[in-house]
């Protein structure tokens, strides 16, 4: 059906196609806890995204978003009914596990303009409030402010966390590469507004666009803006560029606006299956980021005070080990904590029982084992806290 909602700018209606569909399920369940979002459950209420960021990997063939990405969106009209069935503890054989329920990212922003018409994210939040689940939102839209009242209520009951992503604080670059979203300054203002109401916030400096927004100066400006906004933590990351729809769309924009970098892109994106740039590029990028991040005192992953009470002890250990692995990696150092995190995640029996037996645990070396024991005893670990706070 053509979009007639008041939320969509008139000049864009001509090109848009919005399909209302009936979904069979909404909750996306992960087998193991994810340490970036501290979450096992996510949802895409919309499939496709009118924000149309030029670098969006939702455009890649592997995500199976039908039609023209940025113009065609499927709206899961029955999402609130399905979600009620999936969330209601009275209808479940087993309770849902701890951690944030994640709204955002993936193949469509939950607060893209269609949300003004369909209210699916608001209805999802109402269910979270009703059933007492913790929620995390990641968006590039300021529309999330509409739901401040509800998020305040969820935060009081069970925790809410609001995050925005930016690629830099440069308005001019944002207009080119993120044409459908409010300016970085407006996104940062949105976070300030949640912080002022006592709701924790994170800033995702992600993705930084190689050679365009990955400079030391722009990273410094973004980190300063994050600190000024009072965010609780920062997540940093480079850009992936998968061959096919995603790469050809992005490179067309790059050729138009920054043609001088095309040759550099050919050097760092060499057809990796996951669209990753070369290890050497990421190593240099991480070094640059670390140099800047050292000057600020921001945690570089979600800190334990925002998730410690949501997780059982096994998931808490998995998240902390995995975060440590990232933090070592950021410093250019190898670590065995990532494989230890996966080994703990895969343990069938309670972790304390396994440790009590004293026999070696596959995938967990002596250092990781000592760290796990410290986390179980104290709820955290000294080395972890030091690394997290840079
Ligand atoms: S807001 Fe997110 S999902 Fe939407 S186009 Fe931009 S990067 Fe993709």
């Amino acid at each position: 059906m053509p979009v007639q909602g008041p939320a969509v700018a008139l000049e864009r209606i001509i090109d848009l196609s919005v399909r209302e569909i009936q979904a069979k399920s909404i909750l996306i369940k992960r087998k193991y806890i994810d340490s970036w979002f501290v979450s096992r459950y996510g949802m895409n209420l919309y499939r496709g995204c009118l924000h149309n960021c030029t670098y969006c990997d939702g455009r890649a063939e592997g995500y199976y978003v039908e039609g023209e990405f940025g113009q065609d969106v499927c709206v899961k009209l029955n999402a609130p009914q399905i979600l009620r069935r999936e969330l209601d503890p009275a209808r479940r054989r087993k309770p849902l596990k701890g951690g944030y329920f994640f709204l955002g990212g993936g193949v469509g922003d939950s607060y893209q303009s269609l949300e003004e018409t369909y209210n699916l994210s608001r209805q999802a939040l109402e269910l979270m409030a009703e059933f007492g689940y913790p929620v995390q939102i990641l968006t590039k839209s300021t529309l999330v402010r509409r739901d401040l009242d509800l998020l305040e209520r969820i935060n009081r009951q069970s925790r809410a966390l609001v995050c925005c992503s930016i690629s830099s604080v440069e308005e001019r670059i944002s207009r080119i590469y993120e044409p459908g979203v409010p300016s970085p300054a407006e996104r940062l203002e949105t976070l300030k507004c949640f912080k002022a109401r006592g709701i924790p916030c994170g800033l995702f400096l992600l993705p930084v666009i190689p050679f365009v927004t990955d400079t030391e100066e722009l990273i410094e400006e973004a980190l300063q803006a994050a600190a000024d906004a009072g965010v609780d933590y920062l997540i940093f990351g480079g850009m992936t560029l998968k061959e096919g729809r995603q790469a050809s769309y992005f490179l067309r924009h790059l050729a138009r606006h920054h043609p001088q970098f095309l040759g550099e892109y050919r050097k760092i994106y060499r057809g990796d299956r996951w669209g990753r740039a070369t290890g050497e590029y990421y190593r240099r990028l991480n070094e640059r980021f670390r140099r800047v991040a050292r000057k600020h005192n921001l945690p570089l992953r979600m800190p334990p005070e925002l998730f410690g009470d949501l997780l059982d002890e096994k998931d808490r250990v998995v998240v902390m080990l995995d975060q440590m692995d990232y933090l070592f990696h950021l410093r250019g150092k190898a670590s065995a904590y990532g494989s230890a995190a996966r080994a703990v995640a895969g343990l069938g029996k309670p972790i304390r029982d396994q440790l009590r037996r004293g026999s070696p645990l596959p995938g967990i070396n002596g250092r990781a084992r000592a760290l796990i024991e410290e986390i179980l005893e104290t709820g955290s670990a000294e080395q972890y806290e030091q690394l997290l706070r840079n």
Side-chain angles (χ1 to χ4, degrees):
M1 78 161 215
V3 172
Q4 299 296 342
V8 181
L10 202 58
E11 69 269 21
R12 300 208 65 210
I13 288 177
I14 308 153
D15 302 325
L16 294 181
S17 141
V18 175
R19 210 148 56 87
E20 295 175 344
I21 61 167
Q22 300 290 317
K24 291 198 177 74
S25 64
I26 294 295
L27 268 194
I28 303 162
K29 300 168 195 130
R30 289 177 205 277
K31 193 166 177 197
Y32 303 126
I33 189 92
D34 167 89
S35 74
W36 285 53
F37 304 108
V38 188
S39 166
R40 278 174 182 269
Y41 305 104
M43 62 193 84
N44 286 311
L45 302 169
Y46 302 93
R47 208 168 163 69
C49 190
L50 299 183
H51 287 165
N52 202 19
C53 304
T54 56
Y55 48 69
C56 183
D57 70 348
R59 189 175 272 109
E61 285 78 357
Y63 290 102
Y64 304 104
V65 179
E66 291 161 23
E68 186 64 33
F69 192 89
Q71 295 179 13
D72 300 339
V73 181
C74 289
V75 178
K76 298 180 183 172
L77 218 51
N78 62 339
Q81 293 75 39
I82 302 279
L83 206 48
R84 169 172 288 283
R85 200 179 63 206
E86 292 174 325
L87 292 175
D88 186 349
R91 297 199 204 182
R92 298 196 59 86
R93 273 189 296 130
K94 276 193 195 163
L96 290 165
K97 298 209 180 240
Y100 287 98
F101 286 69
F102 183 68
L103 259 97
V107 292
D109 196 312
S110 305
Y111 284 92
Q112 58 183 294
S113 57
L114 290 169
E115 171 62 16
E116 277 191 71
T117 307
Y118 287 99
N119 284 311
L120 295 181
S121 298
R122 178 147 188 112
Q123 292 179 73
L125 291 184
E126 279 162 356
L127 289 169
M128 298 294 167
E130 181 181 335
F131 295 121
Y133 293 117
V135 173
Q136 179 181 173
I137 289 170
L138 174 61
T139 181
K140 283 189 167 77
S141 171
T142 51
L143 178 58
V144 64
R145 285 167 82 153
R146 178 200 65 186
D147 294 340
L148 202 150
D149 58 332
L150 201 43
L151 284 159
E152 240 182 333
R153 185 174 141 210
I154 296 172
N155 192 42
R156 274 197 306 275
Q157 290 176 185
S158 48
R159 283 192 181 279
L161 184 52
V162 177
C163 304
C164 281
S165 59
I166 60 170
S167 177
S168 78
V169 289
E170 248 297 327
E171 311 280 346
R172 190 183 50 81
I173 298 176
S174 172
R175 274 202 301 277
I176 295 170
Y177 291 98
E178 306 164 331
V181 295
S183 68
E186 286 171 285
R187 282 173 257 166
L188 285 156
E189 205 47 51
T190 298
L191 294 182
K192 277 188 200 164
C193 154
F194 281 96
K195 280 297 294 176
R197 301 285 277 268
I199 297 173
C201 293
L203 182 71
F204 283 57
L205 181 54
L206 179 101
V208 287
I209 304 172
F211 313 105
V212 179
T213 69
D214 69 350
T215 64
E216 195 146 336
E217 296 71 31
L218 283 178
I219 293 173
E220 169 64 50
E221 281 181 41
L223 262 65
Q224 189 56 56
D228 294 344
V231 302
D232 296 272
Y233 66 102
L234 186 120
I235 301 267
F236 174 78
M239 191 176 95
T240 55
L241 199 57
K242 295 193 184 82
E243 286 191 347
R245 284 200 306 191
Q246 187 198 3
S248 61
Y249 189 84
F250 175 81
L251 291 174
R252 273 209 306 278
H253 280 76
L254 189 77
R256 193 172 319 140
H257 299 284
H258 293 100
Q260 68 274 30
F261 298 137
L262 279 169
E264 300 297 331
Y265 272 69
R266 275 192 287 275
K267 286 186 204 151
I268 66 167
Y269 291 104
R270 297 195 192 147
D272 173 78
R273 185 174 164 216
W274 305 108
R276 287 173 299 203
T278 56
E280 175 56 21
Y281 168 75
Y282 287 135
R283 194 187 55 70
R284 277 186 280 119
L285 179 65
N286 283 344
E287 255 174 33
R288 197 176 310 149
F289 172 68
R290 265 259 312 144
R291 258 198 313 277
V292 179
R294 256 200 304 254
K295 297 185 214 155
H296 299 270
N297 206 18
L298 281 170
L300 302 179
R301 275 294 184 260
M302 189 192 296
E305 56 271 24
L306 297 183
F307 67 78
D309 56 344
L310 298 180
L311 304 182
D312 63 27
E313 60 184 18
K314 178 168 131 180
D315 278 355
R316 196 160 52 231
V317 167
V318 171
V319 168
M320 289 180 177
L321 289 176
D322 209 43
Q323 289 187 343
M324 281 186 75
D325 190 62
Y326 164 77
L327 294 162
F328 272 115
H329 187 73
L330 190 63
R331 285 160 169 75
K333 293 182 183 158
S335 102
Y337 295 123
S339 53
R342 287 187 291 280
V344 172
L347 288 176
K349 296 205 174 112
I351 184 167
R352 276 179 199 271
D353 293 356
Q354 306 264 1
L355 290 172
R356 211 171 292 134
R357 281 198 208 126
S359 47
L361 294 171
I364 301 175
N365 67 17
R367 202 177 283 182
R369 191 181 179 119
L371 201 101
I372 293 169
E373 282 167 358
E374 189 183 346
I375 295 171
L376 290 177
E377 194 151 316
T378 67
S380 189
E382 210 180 311
Q383 191 187 15
Y384 165 70
E385 297 280 348
Q386 277 169 8
L387 281 170
L388 188 66
R389 283 159 224 283
N390 213 21

